[in-house]
Amino acid sequence: MTSLLPPPVADTPELRTLRRDVRTFVAGQVAAGAFTPDVDTWLNGFDPAFSRALAEQGWLGMTIPTEYGGHGRTFLERFVVTEELLAAGAPVAAHWIADRQAAPSLLKFGTEEQKQRFLPRITRGELFWAIGMSEPDSGSDLASVRTRAVQVDGGWRLTGTKVWTSGAHHAHAFFALARSAPLDPAHRHDGLSQFIVMLDSPGVEIRPIHSMNGAHHFNEVHFEDVFVPDDLVMGEIGQGWHQVTSELSYERSGPERFLSSYQLLAALVDAPSTGADQQIGQYVARTAALHEMSNSVASALEHHHDVSSAAAVVKVLGTALEGDVADLGDVLTEDDPGDPQLRALVTRAVMHRPGFTLRGGTSEVLRGVIARELGLR
Ligand SMILES: Cc1cc2nc3c(=O)[nH]c(=O)nc-3n(C[C@H](O)[C@H](O)[C@H](O)COP(=O)(O)OP(=O)(O)OC[C@H]3O[C@@H](n4cnc5c(N)ncnc54)[C@H](O)[C@@H]3O)c2cc1C
């Protein structure tokens, strides 16, 4: 285990001050009625005004260098801010993907022009991003994507369909993973490329997929001969697999992988005698351990270490905890609906529960990543 995870790091006095500042800000926002704390707010709490309020505090684009309009702060500082916002159940979905993975990917693989064009707007909370990886027949096995990119004069033409695209109906852009060269069965990861697709481009159709509670969160994004100019090619043609897997390290290791149902856990702690004190105590202990693990990955990201298997460990354990909290809330309120606020948190946690261990890579697939790292398969 120790070889999988980076060593733990403690909060410095400066980080503790930052934590206090975020808590004070968030308490002020709740008191002012800006939002009602909820579960799973990093994917479902869409509130552009709140994102802009965070931007005004300097809490978006924290790790983006100042020459690109960012704040040049550390991954540990960003960790503190994001952890506090998630623990408070704040609505951070609007900017989440842009801030979490589009920005670091652009910094790593984007052209100078792309960085200048997109990063300042991400920092100001004006540009929202989505994830264009999954397709109707390609989820875990991403190398099987069938969206085709064909080179034309001045750019590329994309045809195909992405699915389960969270928030595409609110987003301005996403990175689409597409096959830019015919599939070679012996080298399935070759011939894939990433393109920055502006979601208002001609030929892009965003079709809603309604969840079982009627909510519109997911979309199918269809491309019909969509033109992507050369200046929106992301990174290198043919390097899409390498780029996507690098992006997934940012996607899998953060505090959103163990805090999605934290508001419910906090409500269970506060609820009068549920009769499940031991179990609640265990979940609180698991949360504390995951805080240390996820924080240590943030520290490793700071030092540009490869965190793919450490991120997988955090995600497998963290999303299992999120689901367990939802299940416990469900069981404890089954016969006695209790406090309506608690019941509302349970209802939403149970509704979102199936997605916790699927989104960003399923637990089965991530266990495979961990096993490979340990040389077990
Ligand atoms: C809430 C939510 C939000 C999402 N948002 C986005 C988004 O914004 N953008 C995007 O691109 N995608 C998104 N997804 C899609 C998500 O990434 C996929 O659902 C996920 O990668 C699994 O793919 P799949 O659904 O096609 O399942 P499949 O890959 O078909 O898997 C089906 C089952 O088989 C198992 N399985 C598959 N391969 C293996 C293997 N090699 N070893 C062991 N077991 C295996 C899986 O664990 C799973 O249980 C989202 C999903 C959810 C639930």
Side-chain angles (χ1 to χ4, degrees):
M1 196 66 172
T2 44
S3 63
L4 275 178
L5 285 169
V9 283
D11 274 5
T12 58
E14 292 74 23
L15 290 174
R16 281 200 290 276
T17 303
L18 180 59
R19 248 182 220 289
R20 210 187 45 224
D21 291 347
V22 182
R23 280 183 197 179
T24 306
F25 170 80
V26 164
Q29 294 281 307
V30 173
F35 73 89
T36 305
D38 204 348
V39 294
D40 209 26
T41 49
W42 65 273
L43 213 55
N44 288 283
F46 181 84
D47 183 344
F50 187 75
S51 293
R52 276 192 293 276
L54 291 178
E56 278 164 26
Q57 298 295 315
W59 293 336
L60 298 196
M62 289 181 75
T63 59
I64 295 176
T66 49
E67 65 261 37
Y68 300 119
H71 299 288
R73 300 182 75 172
T74 66
F75 277 92
L76 285 173
E77 288 176 303
R78 181 179 181 273
F79 180 87
V80 163
V81 170
T82 52
E83 189 177 50
E84 288 300 325
L85 291 170
L86 294 166
V92 291
H95 66 268
W96 195 262
I97 307 295
D99 185 72
R100 175 184 72 181
Q101 71 200 82
S105 293
L106 284 164
L107 281 166
K108 201 162 172 186
F109 302 113
T111 62
E112 184 59 27
E113 191 192 333
Q114 289 166 357
K115 291 177 200 172
Q116 297 285 358
R117 174 171 169 187
F118 296 119
L119 295 175
R121 293 178 61 203
I122 288 176
T123 306
R124 293 197 299 267
E126 295 170 0
L127 185 76
F128 306 142
W129 214 270
I131 302 173
M133 295 190 196
S134 307
E135 297 189 1
D137 295 314
S138 302
S140 306
D141 181 19
L142 257 190
S144 67
V145 293
R146 286 191 297 193
T147 292
R148 260 185 318 118
V150 176
Q151 192 162 25
V152 294
D153 197 19
W156 295 75
R157 290 221 170 252
L158 267 58
T159 301
T161 304
K162 296 291 170 183
V163 77
W164 313 125
T165 322
S166 302
H169 53 308
H170 296 305
H172 301 96
F174 69 10
F175 300 127
L177 181 69
R179 185 151 281 292
S180 51
L183 175 68
D184 170 1
H187 302 99
R188 297 175 72 247
H189 297 155
D190 294 351
L192 294 168
S193 302
Q194 278 188 305
F195 299 87
I196 300 173
V197 177
M198 304 310 294
L199 291 170
D200 61 357
S201 304
V204 174
E205 191 187 342
I206 299 174
R207 304 164 178 157
I209 300 176
H210 293 283
S211 306
M212 57 187 168
N213 63 351
H216 176 195
H217 160 77
F218 287 125
N219 301 275
E220 197 175 72
V221 180
H222 182 68
F223 311 120
E224 196 59 58
D225 214 20
V226 173
F227 179 68
V228 179
D230 282 328
D231 61 8
L232 289 183
V233 169
M234 173 67 175
E236 268 181 67
I237 290 294
Q239 289 301 307
W241 184 259
H242 163 64
Q243 293 171 201
V244 157
T245 44
S246 146
E247 198 180 315
L248 286 171
S249 295
Y250 296 102
E251 189 179 339
R252 288 174 173 163
S253 63
E256 70 272 34
R257 298 306 182 179
F258 64 96
L259 291 176
S260 300
S261 49
Y262 182 81
Q263 274 292 313
L264 172 56
L265 180 58
L268 291 175
V269 168
D270 290 343
S273 172
T274 58
D277 294 356
Q278 242 188 350
Q279 218 167 343
I280 292 171
Q282 272 179 14
Y283 294 173
V284 170
R286 283 164 68 185
T287 305
L290 280 152
H291 155 82
E292 296 296 340
M293 293 162 67
S294 180
N295 196 26
S296 76
V297 177
S299 162
L301 281 172
E302 188 66 42
H303 298 102
H304 309 289
H305 293 162
D306 175 9
V307 296
S308 45
S309 37
V313 173
V314 171
K315 186 173 181 295
V316 168
L317 297 178
T319 55
L321 169 67
E322 293 177 335
D324 287 347
V325 170
D327 290 347
L328 180 64
D330 197 21
V331 169
L332 294 179
T333 55
E334 199 172 16
D335 297 327
D336 172 12
D339 171 33
Q341 219 175 331
L342 174 62
R343 188 63 227 170
L345 287 171
V346 169
T347 303
R348 283 195 292 277
V350 168
M351 195 66 72
H352 298 176
R353 187 217 191 297
F356 294 161
T357 53
L358 293 174
R359 58 195 185 193
T362 69
S363 296
E364 291 79 7
V365 166
L366 294 176
R367 287 190 200 108
V369 170
I370 297 165
R372 267 194 302 279
E373 176 71 18
L374 293 173
L376 298 174
R377 57 192 284 201

